[in-house]
Amino acid sequence: MADSATSNAAVAAPRATPRHVAIIMDGNGRWAKARHLPRAAGHRKGMEAVRAVVKAAGKAGVEYLTLFGFSSENWKRPEDEVKDLMGLLRLYLRKDAHDLHRQGVRLKVIGDRARLAPDIQEQLAEVEAMTAANAALTLVIAISYGGRDELVRAARALAREAAAGTLDPEAIDEAAVSARLFTDGIPDPDLLVRTSGEQRISNFLLWQSAYTEFVFVDTLWPDFDRDAFAAALDAFGRRERRYGAVV
Ligand code: IPE
Ligand code: IPE
Ligand code: MG
């Protein structure tokens, strides 16, 4: 009796669900290499992990899920690999757009879109427009995204406005910088997960992750599933966030 009362209490205890989860999806190449497969096979399998995690995030009550799909530095990869990744993006947008819409997912893309092929830019705009009014989960995909590039653009925008006389330099505050980032209107991530054992930020959400909780897992991205996602949420639930204060 005492035992079941204890476990019921544990189940009923309120657990903090992160409002915004960001993920650096890493390890596709190593997953493929371990199977003597081409890197593209790892990326393809990684797309299945994306589907599973989007569903799991929605079910868990996460409001924003940001996935790092392609960094501004990933353009340095061999041409064939870049082509494969762009091909997968096209495929994902074509095959999954309606599923996402049905799930109530709103899609938003952050990054330097101008570097993407025109047909991809069009597809992205279409899916964003189609899903704009959805409210279950906002899926933010970072493509051709770099945190420093984002900050440079914000600095340029502020400088332009100051030079034009529409902005007083003394009035520039943190909110003014945030408002000029790709992520304007999106709350900062509460939890950032990186897979594949690497423990670095790789130019992702530099400004936005000032007080984010980091969870690093050894699992390679193609093996990351809803249980792995749930485990990361559990790890977050055990963290104590202080924001510089004494609590
Ligand atoms: C993540 O997997 C996918 C992208 C960066 C596009 P990687 O391709 O970086 O895989 P590893 O790190 O080489 O294993
Ligand atoms: C970061 O992974 C970018 C994405 C997951 C899209 P990388 O594999 O490119 O990062 P590094 O090179 O290991 O830092
Ligand atoms: Mg990698």
Side-chain angles (χ1 to χ4, degrees):
M1 248 334 241
D3 269 351
S4 81
T6 313
S7 64
N8 283 343
V11 170
R15 259 192 300 150
T17 300
R19 189 171 176 213
H20 182 175
V21 179
I23 307 183
I24 301 177
M25 310 183 288
D26 201 6
N28 294 353
R30 278 162 284 168
W31 183 93
K33 193 171 180 206
R35 288 161 181 77
H36 308 285
L37 295 169
R39 292 177 62 85
H43 296 316
R44 268 201 304 277
K45 184 80 172 138
M47 203 161 87
E48 288 173 31
V50 167
R51 293 186 176 115
V53 166
V54 169
K55 281 208 183 86
K59 277 195 187 135
V62 168
E63 290 174 51
Y64 296 85
L65 175 68
T66 298
L67 302 178
F68 203 3
F70 191 89
S71 75
S72 47
E73 289 71 31
N74 288 150
W75 290 111
K76 292 187 284 197
R77 293 193 178 195
E79 205 183 313
D80 276 355
E81 180 163 355
V82 171
K83 242 188 220 160
D84 286 338
L85 287 164
M86 292 300 151
L88 276 176
L89 177 58
R90 278 192 187 91
L91 193 70
Y92 181 69
L93 290 169
R94 200 172 62 231
K95 281 181 70 173
D96 287 53
H98 290 280
D99 255 7
L100 291 173
H101 193 38
R102 263 194 300 276
Q103 288 173 53
V105 174
R106 172 169 73 127
L107 181 80
K108 179 170 168 60
V109 173
I110 58 170
D112 182 6
R113 293 171 185 238
R115 284 186 82 172
L116 301 171
D119 70 296
I120 296 186
Q121 292 186 39
E122 274 168 36
Q123 252 186 316
L124 290 174
E126 269 171 34
V127 181
E128 281 178 332
M130 176 175 81
T131 61
N134 291 343
L137 170 75
T138 298
L139 172 62
V140 182
I141 307 189
I143 305 163
S144 191
Y145 172 89
R148 286 188 170 184
D149 172 58
E150 181 182 41
L151 285 164
V152 166
R153 285 161 187 270
R156 254 190 236 132
L158 292 166
R160 260 197 311 267
E161 292 167 47
T166 55
L167 178 70
D168 173 6
E170 298 312 316
I172 297 173
D173 55 9
E174 293 186 9
V177 175
S178 291
R180 285 156 184 87
L181 301 176
F182 292 127
T183 50
D184 179 29
I186 299 171
D188 288 343
D190 302 290
L191 166 65
L192 187 147
V193 179
R194 183 166 188 155
T195 59
S196 86
E198 307 296 351
Q199 302 191 356
R200 55 175 169 268
I201 190 97
S202 297
N203 205 10
F204 191 41
L205 302 178
L206 298 179
W207 170 276
Q208 299 88 339
S209 62
Y211 267 102
T212 299
E213 295 293 330
F214 287 65
V215 169
F216 297 106
V217 298
D218 288 334
T219 313
L220 302 173
W221 177 252
D223 291 326
F224 197 86
D225 55 13
R226 60 180 187 191
D227 291 339
F229 185 75
L233 294 193
D234 279 348
F236 173 83
R238 293 190 296 273
R239 299 284 175 89
E240 185 187 292
R241 303 181 83 185
R242 300 201 192 99
Y243 301 98
V246 178
V247 289

Coordinates of all heavy atoms in Angstrom, one line a residue, residues 24-33 39 42-43 68-71 74 77 81 85 194-196 198 200 220-222, ligand 1:
I24 N 20.6 19.8 -31.8 CA 21.6 19.8 -32.8 C 21.7 18.3 -33.2 O 22.1 17.4 -32.5 CB 23.0 20.2 -32.3 CG1 22.9 21.7 -31.8 CG2 24.1 20.1 -33.3 CD1 24.2 22.2 -31.1
M25 N 21.1 18.0 -34.4 CA 21.0 16.6 -34.8 C 22.3 16.2 -35.5 O 22.6 16.4 -36.6 CB 19.9 16.6 -35.9 CG 18.6 17.3 -35.5 SD 17.3 17.1 -36.7 CE 17.8 18.1 -38.1
D26 N 23.1 15.5 -34.7 CA 24.5 15.2 -35.2 C 24.7 13.7 -35.1 O 24.1 13.0 -34.3 CB 25.5 15.9 -34.3 CG 26.8 16.0 -35.0 OD1 27.0 15.7 -36.2 OD2 27.8 16.5 -34.3
G27 N 25.6 13.2 -36.0 CA 26.0 11.8 -36.0 C 25.5 10.9 -37.2 O 25.6 9.7 -37.2
N28 N 24.8 11.6 -38.2 CA 24.3 10.8 -39.3 C 25.4 10.1 -40.0 O 25.3 8.9 -40.4 CB 23.6 11.7 -40.3 CG 22.4 12.4 -39.7 OD1 21.9 12.0 -38.6 ND2 21.8 13.3 -40.5
G29 N 26.5 10.8 -40.2 CA 27.7 10.2 -41.0 C 28.3 9.0 -40.2 O 28.5 8.0 -40.9
R30 N 28.4 9.2 -38.9 CA 29.0 8.1 -38.2 C 28.1 6.9 -38.1 O 28.5 5.7 -38.1 CB 29.4 8.5 -36.8 CG 30.7 9.3 -36.7 CD 30.9 10.1 -35.5 NE 30.1 11.3 -35.6 CZ 29.9 12.2 -34.6 NH1 30.3 11.9 -33.4 NH2 29.2 13.3 -34.8
W31 N 26.8 7.2 -38.1 CA 25.8 6.1 -38.1 C 25.9 5.2 -39.4 O 25.9 4.0 -39.3 CB 24.4 6.7 -38.0 CG 23.3 5.7 -37.9 CD1 22.7 5.2 -36.8 CD2 22.6 5.0 -39.0 NE1 21.7 4.3 -37.1 CE2 21.6 4.2 -38.5 CE3 22.7 5.1 -40.4 CZ2 20.8 3.4 -39.2 CZ3 21.9 4.3 -41.2 CH2 20.9 3.5 -40.6
A32 N 26.1 6.0 -40.5 CA 26.2 5.3 -41.8 C 27.5 4.5 -41.9 O 27.6 3.4 -42.3 CB 26.1 6.3 -42.9
K33 N 28.6 5.2 -41.4 CA 29.9 4.6 -41.5 C 30.0 3.3 -40.7 O 30.6 2.3 -41.2 CB 31.0 5.6 -40.9 CG 32.4 5.2 -41.2 CD 33.4 6.3 -40.9 CE 34.8 5.8 -41.2 NZ 35.8 6.4 -40.4
R39 N 27.2 8.1 -46.5 CA 26.7 9.1 -45.5 C 25.3 9.5 -45.8 O 24.5 9.7 -44.9 CB 27.6 10.4 -45.6 CG 29.0 10.2 -45.1 CD 29.8 11.5 -45.2 NE 29.3 12.6 -44.4 CZ 29.5 12.8 -43.1 NH1 30.3 12.0 -42.5 NH2 29.0 13.8 -42.5
G42 N 22.8 7.7 -43.8 CA 22.6 8.2 -42.5 C 21.7 9.4 -42.5 O 20.8 9.6 -41.6
H43 N 21.8 10.3 -43.4 CA 20.9 11.5 -43.5 C 19.5 11.0 -43.7 O 18.5 11.6 -43.1 CB 21.4 12.4 -44.6 CG 22.7 13.0 -44.4 ND1 23.1 13.5 -43.2 CD2 23.8 13.2 -45.2 CE1 24.4 13.9 -43.3 NE2 24.8 13.7 -44.5
F68 N 18.4 21.8 -35.9 CA 19.5 22.3 -36.7 C 19.7 21.4 -37.8 O 20.2 20.2 -37.6 CB 20.7 22.4 -35.8 CG 21.8 23.4 -36.3 CD1 21.6 24.2 -37.4 CD2 23.0 23.5 -35.6 CE1 22.6 25.1 -37.8 CE2 24.0 24.4 -36.0 CZ 23.8 25.2 -37.1
G69 N 19.3 21.7 -39.0 CA 19.3 20.8 -40.1 C 20.5 21.0 -41.0 O 21.0 20.1 -41.6
F70 N 21.0 22.3 -41.1 CA 22.1 22.6 -42.0 C 22.8 23.9 -41.6 O 22.1 24.9 -41.5 CB 21.6 22.6 -43.4 CG 22.7 22.6 -44.5 CD1 23.2 21.5 -45.0 CD2 23.2 23.8 -45.0 CE1 24.2 21.5 -46.0 CE2 24.2 23.9 -46.0 CZ 24.7 22.7 -46.5
S71 N 24.0 23.9 -41.3 CA 24.7 25.1 -40.8 C 25.3 25.9 -41.9 O 25.5 25.4 -43.0 CB 25.7 24.7 -39.7 OG 26.9 24.2 -40.4
N74 N 28.1 24.1 -43.1 CA 27.9 22.9 -43.8 C 28.0 23.0 -45.3 O 28.2 22.0 -46.1 CB 26.6 22.2 -43.4 CG 26.6 21.6 -42.0 OD1 25.5 21.6 -41.4 ND2 27.7 21.2 -41.6
R77 N 30.9 21.3 -47.1 CA 31.0 19.8 -47.3 C 31.1 19.6 -48.8 O 30.8 20.4 -49.6 CB 29.7 19.2 -46.7 CG 29.8 19.3 -45.2 CD 28.7 18.4 -44.5 NE 28.8 18.5 -43.1 CZ 28.3 17.6 -42.2 NH1 27.6 16.6 -42.7 NH2 28.5 17.8 -40.9
E81 N 27.4 15.7 -51.1 CA 26.7 15.6 -49.8 C 25.7 16.8 -49.7 O 24.6 16.6 -49.2 CB 27.7 15.6 -48.6 CG 27.0 15.5 -47.3 CD 27.8 15.0 -46.1 OE1 29.0 14.7 -46.3 OE2 27.3 15.0 -45.0
L85 N 21.7 16.4 -49.1 CA 21.0 17.1 -48.0 C 19.9 18.0 -48.5 O 18.7 18.0 -48.0 CB 21.9 17.8 -47.1 CG 22.9 17.0 -46.2 CD1 24.0 17.8 -45.7 CD2 22.0 16.3 -45.1
R194 N 22.2 17.9 -27.8 CA 23.1 17.6 -29.0 C 23.3 16.1 -28.9 O 23.7 15.5 -27.8 CB 24.4 18.3 -28.9 CG 25.3 18.0 -30.2 CD 26.4 18.9 -30.4 NE 27.0 18.6 -31.7 CZ 27.7 19.5 -32.4 NH1 27.9 20.7 -32.0 NH2 28.2 19.1 -33.6
T195 N 23.2 15.4 -30.0 CA 23.4 14.0 -30.1 C 24.8 13.7 -30.5 O 25.6 14.6 -30.9 CB 22.4 13.3 -31.1 OG1 22.6 13.9 -32.4 CG2 21.0 13.5 -30.6
S196 N 25.2 12.5 -30.5 CA 26.4 11.9 -31.0 C 27.7 12.1 -30.2 O 28.8 11.9 -30.7 CB 26.7 12.4 -32.5 OG 27.4 13.6 -32.5
E198 N 29.2 14.8 -29.2 CA 30.0 16.0 -29.3 C 29.4 17.0 -28.3 O 28.2 17.1 -28.1 CB 29.8 16.6 -30.8 CG 30.1 15.7 -31.9 CD 31.6 15.3 -31.9 OE1 32.4 15.8 -31.2 OE2 31.9 14.4 -32.7
R200 N 29.7 20.6 -28.1 CA 30.0 22.0 -28.6 C 28.7 22.6 -29.2 O 27.8 21.9 -29.6 CB 31.1 22.1 -29.5 CG 31.0 21.2 -30.7 CD 32.2 21.4 -31.7 NE 32.1 20.3 -32.7 CZ 32.8 19.2 -32.6 NH1 33.6 18.9 -31.6 NH2 32.7 18.2 -33.6
L220 N 23.5 8.5 -31.6 CA 23.7 9.1 -32.9 C 22.3 9.5 -33.4 O 21.3 8.8 -33.1 CB 24.3 8.2 -33.9 CG 25.7 7.6 -33.5 CD1 26.2 6.6 -34.5 CD2 26.7 8.8 -33.4
W221 N 22.2 10.6 -34.1 CA 20.9 11.2 -34.5 C 19.9 10.1 -35.1 O 18.7 10.0 -34.7 CB 21.0 12.4 -35.3 CG 19.6 12.9 -35.7 CD1 19.0 12.8 -37.0 CD2 18.6 13.4 -34.8 NE1 17.7 13.3 -36.9 CE2 17.4 13.7 -35.6 CE3 18.5 13.7 -33.4 CZ2 16.3 14.2 -35.1 CZ3 17.3 14.2 -32.9 CH2 16.2 14.4 -33.7
P222 N 20.4 9.3 -36.1 CA 19.4 8.3 -36.7 C 18.8 7.4 -35.6 O 17.7 6.8 -35.9 CB 20.3 7.6 -37.7 CG 21.3 8.6 -38.0 CD 21.7 9.2 -36.7
Ligands
IPE1 C1 24.4 15.7 -38.9 O1 25.2 14.6 -39.1 C2 23.7 16.2 -40.1 C3 24.3 17.5 -40.6 C4 25.2 18.2 -40.0 C5 23.7 18.0 -41.8 P1 26.7 14.7 -39.6 O2 26.6 14.6 -41.1 O3 27.4 15.8 -39.1 O4 27.3 13.3 -39.1 P2 28.7 13.1 -38.5 O5 29.0 14.1 -37.5 O6 29.7 13.2 -39.6 O7 28.6 11.7 -37.9

